[in-house]
Amino acid sequence: MPKPWMLQESTYEEQQQAALKRYEARSGERKKTAMRMQASNPVEAASPDRIAVREAAIDPRDGLGLERVIGNDDLFPVSYLEGGLQASKSVCRIEVRDHIGRVIGYGTGFLVSPCLLLTNNHVLPHEDAALYSVAQLNYELDLNFKQRQMKSFNFVPKRLFLTDPELDFTLVAVDEEASDGTPLNDFGYLELYSEPGKILEGEYVSIIQHPQGAPKMVAIRENRVIDMLEHFIHYSTDTQAGSSGSPVFNDQWMVAALHHAGVPDPNDSSVFIANEGVRISSILQKIEQKRAELNAEQRQLVDQMVNHLDISGQPAETFEELALEWYEHSTGYDPDFLGANYKIPHPALRSDMEEDIAPLIDGGRVLNYTHFSVVMRKSRQLAFYTAVNIDGSQLRDIGRNDRWLFDPRMDRKYQCGPPVYEHPDIDRGHLVRRRDPVWGERAAEANEDTFHFTNAAPQHKKLNQQIWLGLEDYILRNTDEHNLKVSVFTGPVLREDDIEYRGVRIPAEFWKVAVMVKTDGKLSATAYLLSQKSFIDDLEFAFGEYKTYQVPILQIEELTGLGFGELKQHDPLHGQRAVVQWVVNGPGDIVL
């Protein structure tokens, strides 16, 4: 079996010997720790600061969370297993290849942002190693012990490559699409928290790994932390060759360390007496020290993966506002975008809905951004609708930012902010898709503008990641291939009986109207309806099917109270009764 560190085998052996030295140097401290642990529990033995962080990582609704930490209870809710399954999606096998494509070893890695992966330095020691190697996600067995369909993603070290031999980590950018077109965001990512204290001496950890390059496996909780060092932790978890680069989890499936080496028995190098992981807090601190070496885009990529905890037990993020000057040249949606003969105005609101439009501080009612506009509904803190212009001839490829912003032009009480999105199954779903307005000279500003809370709506993570069964990709691909211009309106269906969570009623359905001039000069206006009702029957968010439908524009008008005027005359479904007409399972089902 080729070793995962074959490119740097001597470096890995050095890591083992360094781990052994740290282990031997702490033998006296471990004895004291063992005696202290016999007389107390992990919480009592820890410092107040570490206790505060550890408690902050436990959801306040988990009544037995602290009992498990101190060893008084081993009962878990069934959702613990679901949490592990969710965490496992972001863990991959790294197939290490040389410059002519030969496989020379395997390692493990895991996604830590929408486009970044963390592994060991001795797995990917330099940019060339990353350039030739691949990240293989979904390499695992199903319930019938049959291999699932593996998805291979290339690394993009030119975009970002940070490595450190001392802490034995490599952070590298990953291509956002697999070789077969599967989006990387289908697999989510593991959030990293900067505070030390996410795991305590005496606690149990779990590791999701690809031992010896095998399909994904887990060493679950039969593994105790036996020592805490400044930058490393020692634990008794079973791991094998190929597990280098695996995430080490606490009971909340929060990454506490990066597994990197075994501690060899000084009398028999083939036997390991412990394992060693690099603390995530130390890795993030080192990355911060390297931040000055990065360009602006790379700093944004790094910033979006770092999270923080506060003593209330909830993830604490800092949400910024841009200066008002940022918006001075934002003209928003252009009704004349499709040409002088095809004026497409904003939708009209039903008269009884006018008073529910959220006002801007200057008295206006439309939030204009770069190439798109938003009109907010104050009673729901969500958009009545969004309107965007897409120019397929000028599309630009700009990386994600994921820095979510409040809009200073509107009172925050009208903007659905962080609390509702702290639920692990709820995503900030873009209404105006991030890529749609990113064209022309102001593409970078448009990209940033899409990350306003005014452009978000609570969506179940599975719905958001599936992205409307490829509908938006289909529309954007057509504009790109034919250099067409498209105007798109999108919004939630806001019903009075929508389920409420943390003061926000979560929409069960979303709609979209796409307007374009076809190559024959005729206008085409098509409407779509997507439902996540089966996801949100209760706040447990049981998984179920959802469907996308092509419907008459008239049906969207009746559901939303919006008026699209003469667009109905250009709808291929116009004149049909206003009920669901076509189930859209793929682009071929769309009637233009």
Side-chain angles (χ1 to χ4, degrees), residues 133-387:
S133 302
V134 293
Q136 298 171 328
L137 285 144
N138 209 41
Y139 180 50
E140 57 191 67
L141 304 181
D142 64 17
L143 288 174
N144 296 315
F145 295 96
K146 294 183 178 180
Q147 183 177 317
R148 299 186 192 277
Q149 187 175 5
M150 182 174 66
K151 304 294 183 179
S152 293
F153 293 81
N154 292 321
F155 294 107
V156 193
K158 292 298 182 183
R159 188 177 184 191
L160 180 73
F161 186 88
L162 287 177
T163 194
D164 186 85
E166 183 180 358
L167 292 183
D168 195 20
F169 76 83
T170 289
L171 181 69
V172 59
V174 185
D175 199 332
E176 294 184 21
E177 284 192 356
S179 54
D180 68 352
T182 300
L184 184 65
N185 63 15
D186 276 3
F187 299 93
Y189 60 90
L190 299 173
E191 295 185 330
L192 301 184
Y193 293 88
S194 62
E195 291 80 5
K198 296 179 287 294
I199 197 74
L200 305 177
E201 288 177 0
E203 272 199 82
Y204 294 89
V205 296
S206 301
I207 295 186
I208 299 174
Q209 56 194 293
H210 284 279
Q212 296 184 342
K216 193 180 300 174
M217 297 185 183
V218 58
I220 189 167
R221 219 176 176 267
E222 290 284 337
N223 326 292
R224 200 169 196 186
V225 176
I226 57 179
D227 201 5
M228 300 287 303
L229 291 74
E230 181 181 5
H231 299 304
F232 303 90
I233 64 173
H234 289 155
Y235 42 91
S236 57
T237 305
D238 291 331
T239 56
Q240 300 180 37
S243 299
S244 295
S246 302
V248 181
F249 296 96
N250 64 16
D251 278 344
Q252 285 66 48
W253 295 107
M254 181 181 293
V255 185
L258 170 70
H259 175 72
H260 86 120
V263 179
D265 188 324
N267 300 315
D268 184 355
S269 61
S270 65
V271 176
F272 292 90
I273 53 181
N275 277 315
E276 184 176 79
V278 189
R279 293 171 61 171
I280 290 298
S281 55
S282 296
I283 291 174
L284 293 181
Q285 185 178 38
K286 177 63 72 171
I287 290 173
E288 178 62 26
Q289 293 171 4
K290 295 174 178 283
R291 193 173 184 277
E293 306 168 11
L294 307 177
N295 61 38
E297 181 188 358
Q298 291 171 331
R299 286 196 294 270
Q300 286 186 349
L301 293 177
V302 167
D303 290 346
Q304 73 184 28
M305 77 172 185
V306 181
N307 294 275
H308 303 279
L309 291 168
D310 63 27
I311 59 173
S312 70
Q314 298 295 334
E317 298 178 80
T318 301
F319 294 99
E320 304 175 29
E321 289 184 353
L322 299 175
L324 289 173
E325 289 76 16
W326 173 271
Y327 308 94
E328 286 182 351
H329 303 291
S330 298
T331 55
Y333 170 80
D334 179 5
D336 297 317
F337 180 71
L338 298 183
N341 298 323
Y342 307 99
K343 188 178 186 68
I344 312 299
H346 281 253
L349 272 69
R350 200 173 57 219
S351 58
D352 62 306
M353 298 163 57
E354 292 276 343
E355 62 183 19
D356 203 15
I357 296 177
L360 277 61
I361 292 173
D362 65 5
R365 305 199 304 178
V366 179
L367 288 165
N368 287 323
Y369 298 100
T370 301
H371 303 148
F372 72 97
S373 298
V374 179
V375 173
M376 296 290 290
R377 184 171 181 173
K378 62 184 179 184
S379 65
R380 294 292 296 268
Q381 302 173 272
L382 298 170
F384 267 125
Y385 67 87
T386 65

Side-chain angles (χ1 to χ4, degrees), residues 374 376 381-383 386 404 415-416 421 427-432 450-459 492 507 510:
V374 179
M376 296 290 290
Q381 302 173 272
L382 298 170
T386 65
W404 284 88
Q415 304 177 53
C416 178
Y421 298 112
D427 281 349
R428 302 174 188 122
H430 280 76
L431 294 176
V432 171
T450 63
F451 287 92
H452 281 79
F453 283 112
T454 51
N455 185 43
Q459 292 181 351
F510 294 86

Side-chain angles (χ1 to χ4, degrees), residues 11-26 30 166 227 229 232-234 260-264 272-277:
T11 300
Y12 179 72
E13 291 174 351
E14 290 172 3
Q15 294 287 357
Q16 286 185 327
Q17 292 304 311
L20 175 59
K21 289 181 181 179
R22 285 188 286 265
Y23 184 85
E24 292 178 329
R26 294 279 297 180
R30 273 197 312 280
E166 183 180 358
D227 201 5
L229 291 74
F232 303 90
I233 64 173
H234 289 155
H260 86 120
V263 179
F272 292 90
I273 53 181
N275 277 315
E276 184 176 79

